[in-house]
Coordinates of all heavy atoms in Angstrom, one line a residue:
F24 N 124.0 107.7 77.4 CA 123.3 106.5 77.9 C 122.3 106.8 79.0 O 121.3 106.1 79.2 CB 124.3 105.5 78.4 CG 125.1 104.8 77.3 CD1 126.5 104.9 77.2 CD2 124.5 104.0 76.3 CE1 127.2 104.3 76.2 CE2 125.2 103.4 75.3 CZ 126.6 103.6 75.2
F25 N 122.6 107.8 79.8 CA 121.8 108.2 80.9 C 120.5 108.9 80.5 O 119.6 109.1 81.4 CB 122.6 109.0 82.0 CG 123.7 108.2 82.6 CD1 125.0 108.2 82.2 CD2 123.3 107.3 83.7 CE1 125.9 107.5 82.8 CE2 124.3 106.6 84.3 CZ 125.6 106.6 83.9
V26 N 120.4 109.2 79.3 CA 119.1 109.8 78.8 C 118.1 108.7 78.8 O 116.9 109.0 79.0 CB 119.3 110.4 77.3 CG1 118.0 110.8 76.8 CG2 120.3 111.5 77.3
V27 N 118.5 107.5 78.6 CA 117.5 106.4 78.5 C 116.7 106.2 79.8 O 115.5 106.2 79.8 CB 118.2 105.0 78.1 CG1 117.2 103.9 78.2 CG2 118.7 105.1 76.7
P28 N 117.4 106.1 81.0 CA 116.6 106.0 82.2 C 115.7 107.2 82.5 O 114.7 107.0 83.1 CB 117.6 105.7 83.3 CG 118.9 106.2 82.7 CD 118.8 105.9 81.3
L29 N 116.1 108.4 82.1 CA 115.3 109.5 82.3 C 114.0 109.4 81.5 O 112.9 109.8 81.9 CB 116.1 110.8 81.9 CG 117.3 111.1 82.8 CD1 118.0 112.4 82.2 CD2 116.9 111.4 84.2
I30 N 114.2 109.0 80.2 CA 113.0 108.8 79.4 C 112.1 107.7 79.9 O 110.9 107.8 79.9 CB 113.4 108.5 77.9 CG1 114.1 109.7 77.3 CG2 112.1 108.1 77.1 CD1 114.6 109.4 75.9
V31 N 112.7 106.6 80.4 CA 111.9 105.5 81.0 C 111.2 106.0 82.2 O 110.0 105.7 82.4 CB 112.8 104.3 81.4 CG1 112.1 103.3 82.2 CG2 113.4 103.7 80.2
G32 N 111.8 106.8 83.1 CA 111.2 107.4 84.2 C 110.0 108.3 83.9 O 108.9 108.2 84.5
W33 N 110.2 109.1 82.9 CA 109.2 110.0 82.4 C 108.0 109.2 81.9 O 106.9 109.5 82.2 CB 109.8 110.9 81.3 CG 108.9 111.8 80.6 CD1 107.6 112.2 81.0 CD2 109.2 112.5 79.4 NE1 107.1 113.1 80.1 CE2 108.0 113.3 79.1 CE3 110.2 112.6 78.5 CZ2 108.0 114.2 77.9 CZ3 110.2 113.4 77.4 CH2 109.0 114.2 77.1
S34 N 108.3 108.1 81.2 CA 107.2 107.3 80.6 C 106.4 106.6 81.8 O 105.2 106.5 81.7 CB 107.9 106.2 79.7 OG 108.5 106.8 78.6
M35 N 107.1 106.2 82.8 CA 106.5 105.5 83.9 C 105.5 106.4 84.6 O 104.4 106.0 85.0 CB 107.5 104.9 84.9 CG 108.4 103.9 84.3 SD 107.6 102.5 83.5 CE 107.0 101.6 84.9
V36 N 105.9 107.7 84.8 CA 105.0 108.6 85.4 C 103.9 109.0 84.5 O 102.7 109.1 84.9 CB 105.8 109.9 85.9 CG1 104.8 111.0 86.4 CG2 106.9 109.6 86.9
A37 N 104.2 109.2 83.2 CA 103.1 109.6 82.2 C 102.1 108.5 82.1 O 100.9 108.8 81.9 CB 103.8 109.9 80.9
L38 N 102.5 107.2 82.2 CA 101.6 106.1 82.1 C 100.8 105.8 83.4 O 100.0 104.9 83.4 CB 102.3 104.8 81.6 CG 102.9 104.9 80.2 CD1 103.9 103.7 80.0 CD2 101.9 104.9 79.2
G39 N 101.1 106.6 84.4 CA 100.4 106.4 85.7 C 100.8 105.2 86.4 O 100.1 104.5 87.2
L40 N 102.1 104.8 86.3 CA 102.6 103.6 86.9 C 103.5 103.9 88.1 O 103.8 103.0 88.9 CB 103.4 102.7 85.9 CG 102.6 102.2 84.7 CD1 103.5 101.5 83.7 CD2 101.5 101.2 85.2
H41 N 104.0 105.1 88.2 CA 104.9 105.5 89.3 C 104.8 106.9 89.6 O 104.4 107.8 88.8 CB 106.4 105.1 88.9 CG 106.8 103.7 89.1 ND1 107.0 103.2 90.4 CD2 107.0 102.7 88.2 CE1 107.3 101.9 90.2 NE2 107.3 101.6 88.9
Y42 N 105.2 107.2 90.8 CA 105.4 108.6 91.3 C 106.8 109.1 90.9 O 107.7 108.3 90.8 CB 105.2 108.7 92.8 CG 103.9 108.3 93.3 CD1 103.6 107.0 93.8 CD2 102.8 109.2 93.4 CE1 102.4 106.5 94.3 CE2 101.6 108.8 93.9 CZ 101.4 107.5 94.3 OH 100.2 107.1 94.8
P43 N 107.0 110.4 90.9 CA 108.3 110.9 90.6 C 109.4 110.5 91.6 O 110.5 110.2 91.2 CB 108.2 112.5 90.7 CG 106.7 112.7 90.2 CD 106.0 111.5 90.8
V44 N 109.1 110.4 92.9 CA 110.1 109.9 93.8 C 110.5 108.5 93.6 O 111.6 108.1 93.9 CB 109.6 110.1 95.3 CG1 108.5 109.1 95.6 CG2 110.7 110.1 96.2
D45 N 109.6 107.7 93.0 CA 110.0 106.3 92.7 C 111.0 106.3 91.6 O 111.9 105.4 91.6 CB 108.7 105.5 92.2 CG 107.6 105.6 93.2 OD1 107.8 105.6 94.4 OD2 106.4 105.5 92.7
V46 N 110.9 107.2 90.6 CA 111.9 107.3 89.6 C 113.2 107.7 90.1 O 114.3 107.2 89.8 CB 111.4 108.4 88.5 CG1 112.5 108.7 87.5 CG2 110.1 107.9 87.8
M47 N 113.2 108.7 91.0 CA 114.5 109.2 91.6 C 115.1 108.1 92.4 O 116.4 107.9 92.4 CB 114.2 110.4 92.4 CG 113.7 111.6 91.6 SD 113.2 113.0 92.6 CE 114.9 113.7 93.0
G48 N 114.3 107.3 93.1 CA 114.9 106.2 93.9 C 115.5 105.2 93.0 O 116.6 104.6 93.2
G49 N 114.9 104.9 91.8 CA 115.4 104.0 90.8 C 116.7 104.4 90.2 O 117.6 103.6 90.0
L50 N 116.8 105.7 89.9 CA 118.0 106.3 89.4 C 119.2 106.1 90.3 O 120.3 105.7 90.0 CB 117.8 107.8 89.1 CG 116.9 108.2 87.9 CD1 116.6 109.7 87.9 CD2 117.5 107.8 86.6
I51 N 118.9 106.4 91.6 CA 120.0 106.3 92.6 C 120.4 104.8 92.8 O 121.6 104.4 92.8 CB 119.6 106.9 94.0 CG1 119.4 108.4 93.8 CG2 120.6 106.6 95.0 CD1 118.7 109.0 95.0
L52 N 119.4 103.9 92.9 CA 119.7 102.5 93.2 C 120.4 101.9 92.0 O 121.3 101.1 92.2 CB 118.4 101.8 93.5 CG 118.5 100.3 93.8 CD1 119.4 100.1 95.1 CD2 117.1 99.7 94.0
G53 N 120.0 102.2 90.8 CA 120.7 101.6 89.6 C 122.2 102.0 89.6 O 123.1 101.2 89.3
M54 N 122.5 103.3 89.9 CA 123.9 103.7 89.9 C 124.7 103.1 91.0 O 125.8 102.7 90.9 CB 123.9 105.3 90.0 CG 123.5 105.9 88.7 SD 123.8 107.7 88.6 CE 122.5 108.3 89.6
L55 N 124.0 103.0 92.2 CA 124.7 102.4 93.3 C 125.0 101.0 93.1 O 126.0 100.4 93.5 CB 123.9 102.6 94.6 CG 123.8 104.1 95.2 CD1 122.9 104.1 96.4 CD2 125.2 104.6 95.6
G56 N 124.0 100.3 92.5 CA 124.2 98.8 92.3 C 125.4 98.5 91.4 O 126.2 97.7 91.8
V57 N 125.4 99.1 90.2 CA 126.6 98.8 89.3 C 127.8 99.5 89.8 O 128.9 98.8 89.7 CB 126.2 99.2 87.9 CG1 127.4 99.0 87.0 CG2 125.0 98.4 87.4
G58 N 127.8 100.7 90.3 CA 129.0 101.4 90.8 C 129.6 100.6 92.0 O 130.8 100.4 92.1
G59 N 128.7 100.2 92.9 CA 129.2 99.4 94.0 C 129.8 98.1 93.6 O 130.8 97.6 94.2
S60 N 129.1 97.4 92.7 CA 129.6 96.1 92.2 C 131.0 96.3 91.5 O 131.9 95.5 91.7 CB 128.6 95.5 91.2 OG 129.1 94.2 90.7
F61 N 131.1 97.3 90.7 CA 132.4 97.6 90.0 C 133.5 97.9 91.1 O 134.6 97.4 90.9 CB 132.2 98.8 89.1 CG 133.4 99.1 88.3 CD1 133.8 98.4 87.2 CD2 134.2 100.2 88.7 CE1 135.0 98.7 86.5 CE2 135.4 100.6 87.9 CZ 135.7 99.8 86.8
A62 N 133.2 98.7 92.1 CA 134.2 99.0 93.1 C 134.6 97.8 93.9 O 135.8 97.6 94.2 CB 133.6 100.1 94.0
A63 N 133.6 96.9 94.2 CA 133.9 95.7 95.0 C 134.8 94.8 94.1 O 135.7 94.1 94.6 CB 132.6 95.0 95.4
T64 N 134.4 94.6 92.9 CA 135.2 93.7 92.0 C 136.6 94.2 91.8 O 137.6 93.5 91.9 CB 134.5 93.6 90.6 OG1 133.2 93.2 90.7 CG2 135.3 92.7 89.7
T65 N 136.8 95.6 91.7 CA 138.1 96.1 91.6 C 138.9 95.9 92.8 O 140.1 95.6 92.8 CB 138.0 97.6 91.2 OG1 137.3 97.8 90.0 CG2 139.4 98.3 91.1
W66 N 138.3 96.1 94.0 CA 138.9 95.9 95.3 C 139.4 94.5 95.5 O 140.5 94.2 96.0 CB 138.0 96.4 96.4 CG 138.6 96.3 97.8 CD1 139.6 97.0 98.3 CD2 138.2 95.4 98.8 NE1 139.9 96.6 99.6 CE2 139.1 95.6 99.9 CE3 137.2 94.4 98.9 CZ2 138.9 94.9 101.1 CZ3 137.1 93.7 100.1 CH2 138.0 94.0 101.2
I67 N 138.5 93.5 95.1 CA 138.8 92.1 95.3 C 139.8 91.6 94.3 O 140.8 90.9 94.6 CB 137.5 91.3 95.3 CG1 136.7 91.7 96.5 CG2 137.9 89.8 95.4 CD1 135.3 91.1 96.5
L68 N 139.6 91.9 93.0 CA 140.3 91.3 91.9 C 141.4 92.2 91.4 O 142.3 91.8 90.6 CB 139.4 90.8 90.8 CG 138.3 89.8 91.2 CD1 137.4 89.5 90.0 CD2 139.0 88.5 91.7

């Protein structure tokens, strides 16, 4: 499943819409967002 965001990031740079560091920031933020939400839900519920 993680191949998809890598291809999306590659596409965004190839299309001239983002810098590589923007892609890396998105990769980290996406994992932290869902991982953090999952951890918080498990801790609370």
Side-chain angles (χ1 to χ4, degrees):
F24 287 118
F25 290 98
V26 173
V27 174
L29 294 176
I30 296 176
V31 172
W33 178 14
S34 299
M35 300 304 288
V36 177
L38 293 171
L40 298 173
H41 278 287
Y42 299 94
V44 74
D45 305 330
V46 172
M47 298 176 75
L50 290 169
I51 295 171
L52 183 60
M54 287 189 283
L55 288 177
V57 174
S60 178
F61 182 78
T64 302
T65 300
W66 182 67
I67 295 170
L68 301 177

